[in-house]
Short mmCIF file of all heavy atoms in Angstrom, two decimals:
data_model
loop_
_atom_site.label_atom_id
_atom_site.label_comp_id
_atom_site.label_asym_id
_atom_site.label_seq_id
_atom_site.Cartn_x
_atom_site.Cartn_y
_atom_site.Cartn_z
N ASN A 261 11.83 33.15 49.07
CA ASN A 261 11.09 34.39 49.35
C ASN A 261 11.92 35.42 50.09
O ASN A 261 11.40 36.45 50.52
CB ASN A 261 9.79 34.11 50.14
CG ASN A 261 8.78 33.35 49.32
OD1 ASN A 261 8.71 33.50 48.10
ND2 ASN A 261 7.97 32.53 49.98
N ARG A 262 13.21 35.17 50.22
CA ARG A 262 14.12 36.11 50.90
C ARG A 262 15.45 36.14 50.15
O ARG A 262 16.44 35.59 50.60
CB ARG A 262 14.31 35.70 52.36
CG ARG A 262 13.01 35.76 53.16
CD ARG A 262 13.21 35.31 54.60
NE ARG A 262 11.96 35.33 55.33
CZ ARG A 262 11.44 36.40 55.93
NH1 ARG A 262 12.08 37.56 55.87
NH2 ARG A 262 10.29 36.33 56.58
N GLY A 263 15.41 36.75 48.97
CA GLY A 263 16.58 36.77 48.10
C GLY A 263 16.54 35.73 47.00
O GLY A 263 17.42 35.69 46.14
N ASN A 264 15.55 34.89 47.01
CA ASN A 264 15.38 33.82 46.02
C ASN A 264 13.90 33.50 45.95
O ASN A 264 13.16 33.75 46.92
CB ASN A 264 16.19 32.60 46.45
CG ASN A 264 16.39 31.58 45.34
OD1 ASN A 264 15.98 31.78 44.19
ND2 ASN A 264 17.05 30.48 45.68
N ARG A 265 13.45 32.95 44.86
CA ARG A 265 12.05 32.53 44.80
C ARG A 265 11.88 31.38 43.81
O ARG A 265 12.74 31.13 42.96
CB ARG A 265 11.13 33.69 44.43
CG ARG A 265 10.99 34.03 42.96
CD ARG A 265 9.90 35.08 42.77
NE ARG A 265 9.55 35.30 41.38
CZ ARG A 265 8.60 34.64 40.72
NH1 ARG A 265 7.91 33.69 41.35
NH2 ARG A 265 8.33 34.91 39.46
N LEU A 266 10.76 30.68 43.95
CA LEU A 266 10.43 29.59 43.04
C LEU A 266 9.80 30.16 41.78
O LEU A 266 8.91 31.02 41.85
CB LEU A 266 9.45 28.62 43.70
CG LEU A 266 9.82 28.09 45.09
CD1 LEU A 266 8.84 26.99 45.51
CD2 LEU A 266 11.24 27.58 45.15
N LEU A 267 10.25 29.68 40.62
CA LEU A 267 9.77 30.22 39.35
C LEU A 267 8.73 29.34 38.67
O LEU A 267 7.68 29.82 38.25
CB LEU A 267 10.95 30.42 38.40
CG LEU A 267 11.98 31.49 38.75
CD1 LEU A 267 13.08 31.51 37.69
CD2 LEU A 267 11.33 32.86 38.88
N SER A 268 9.02 28.06 38.52
CA SER A 268 8.14 27.20 37.73
C SER A 268 8.30 25.76 38.17
O SER A 268 9.26 25.40 38.87
CB SER A 268 8.48 27.33 36.24
OG SER A 268 9.84 26.96 36.00
N LEU A 269 7.34 24.92 37.75
CA LEU A 269 7.40 23.51 38.09
C LEU A 269 6.82 22.67 36.95
O LEU A 269 6.05 23.14 36.12
CB LEU A 269 6.67 23.21 39.40
CG LEU A 269 5.15 23.43 39.51
CD1 LEU A 269 4.33 22.34 38.83
CD2 LEU A 269 4.74 23.52 40.97
N SER A 270 7.19 21.41 36.98
CA SER A 270 6.63 20.40 36.09
C SER A 270 6.44 19.13 36.89
O SER A 270 7.34 18.73 37.63
CB SER A 270 7.56 20.14 34.90
OG SER A 270 7.08 19.05 34.10
N SER A 271 5.26 18.50 36.79
CA SER A 271 4.94 17.33 37.60
C SER A 271 4.45 16.18 36.73
O SER A 271 3.77 16.39 35.72
CB SER A 271 3.85 17.65 38.63
OG SER A 271 4.24 18.67 39.50
N MET A 272 4.78 14.99 37.16
CA MET A 272 4.27 13.77 36.52
C MET A 272 3.89 12.78 37.60
O MET A 272 4.47 12.77 38.69
CB MET A 272 5.30 13.18 35.56
CG MET A 272 5.70 14.13 34.44
SD MET A 272 6.67 13.35 33.14
CE MET A 272 5.38 12.48 32.25
N ALA A 273 2.92 11.92 37.29
CA ALA A 273 2.43 10.93 38.25
C ALA A 273 2.41 9.54 37.63
O ALA A 273 2.16 9.39 36.43
CB ALA A 273 1.01 11.30 38.72
N THR A 274 2.66 8.55 38.48
CA THR A 274 2.53 7.17 38.03
C THR A 274 1.05 6.79 37.96
O THR A 274 0.17 7.55 38.36
CB THR A 274 3.23 6.20 39.00
OG1 THR A 274 2.49 6.14 40.23
CG2 THR A 274 4.66 6.65 39.28
N LYS A 275 0.79 5.60 37.53
CA LYS A 275 -0.57 5.07 37.59
C LYS A 275 -0.98 4.87 39.04
O LYS A 275 -0.13 4.82 39.95
CB LYS A 275 -0.65 3.75 36.83
CG LYS A 275 0.36 2.71 37.26
CD LYS A 275 0.41 1.57 36.27
CE LYS A 275 1.58 0.62 36.58
NZ LYS A 275 1.68 -0.43 35.55
N SER A 276 -2.27 4.74 39.28
CA SER A 276 -2.81 4.55 40.63
C SER A 276 -3.13 3.08 40.84
O SER A 276 -3.99 2.52 40.16
CB SER A 276 -4.08 5.39 40.79
OG SER A 276 -4.66 5.17 42.06
N ARG A 277 -2.43 2.47 41.80
CA ARG A 277 -2.65 1.05 42.07
C ARG A 277 -2.71 0.73 43.58
O ARG A 277 -3.39 -0.19 44.01
CB ARG A 277 -1.52 0.21 41.46
CG ARG A 277 -1.51 0.22 39.93
CD ARG A 277 -2.72 -0.49 39.35
NE ARG A 277 -2.64 -0.57 37.90
CZ ARG A 277 -3.15 0.34 37.06
NH1 ARG A 277 -3.76 1.42 37.56
NH2 ARG A 277 -3.05 0.18 35.76
N GLY A 278 -1.99 1.48 44.39
CA GLY A 278 -1.78 1.11 45.78
C GLY A 278 -3.03 1.03 46.63
O GLY A 278 -3.21 0.07 47.40
N LEU A 279 -3.92 2.02 46.54
CA LEU A 279 -5.10 2.03 47.40
C LEU A 279 -6.09 0.94 47.00
O LEU A 279 -6.71 0.30 47.86
CB LEU A 279 -5.76 3.41 47.37
CG LEU A 279 -4.91 4.55 47.94
CD1 LEU A 279 -5.71 5.86 47.94
CD2 LEU A 279 -4.42 4.23 49.35
N HIS A 280 -6.24 0.73 45.69
CA HIS A 280 -7.13 -0.35 45.24
C HIS A 280 -6.62 -1.70 45.74
O HIS A 280 -7.39 -2.53 46.24
CB HIS A 280 -7.21 -0.34 43.72
CG HIS A 280 -7.97 -1.53 43.16
ND1 HIS A 280 -9.34 -1.61 43.20
CD2 HIS A 280 -7.51 -2.69 42.59
CE1 HIS A 280 -9.71 -2.77 42.67
NE2 HIS A 280 -8.63 -3.44 42.29
N LYS A 281 -5.32 -1.93 45.62
CA LYS A 281 -4.74 -3.19 46.07
C LYS A 281 -4.94 -3.38 47.57
O LYS A 281 -5.22 -4.49 48.04
CB LYS A 281 -3.26 -3.25 45.73
CG LYS A 281 -2.57 -4.56 46.10
CD LYS A 281 -1.12 -4.55 45.67
CE LYS A 281 -0.46 -5.91 45.96
NZ LYS A 281 -0.48 -6.29 47.38
N TYR A 282 -4.80 -2.30 48.34
CA TYR A 282 -4.99 -2.38 49.79
C TYR A 282 -6.42 -2.82 50.12
O TYR A 282 -6.64 -3.65 51.01
CB TYR A 282 -4.68 -1.03 50.42
CG TYR A 282 -4.68 -1.03 51.92
CD1 TYR A 282 -3.53 -1.33 52.64
CD2 TYR A 282 -5.83 -0.72 52.65
CE1 TYR A 282 -3.51 -1.32 54.03
CE2 TYR A 282 -5.84 -0.73 54.03
CZ TYR A 282 -4.67 -1.02 54.71
OH TYR A 282 -4.68 -1.01 56.09
#
Side-chain angles (χ1 to χ4, degrees):
N261 292 329
R262 297 178 182 275
N264 195 3
R265 83 173 190 90
L266 309 188
L267 293 179
S268 59
L269 64 76
S270 174
S271 301
M272 300 191 77
T274 70
K275 54 193 171 184
S276 177
R277 293 293 185 269
L279 296 184
H280 173 76
K281 183 178 184 300
Y282 187 88

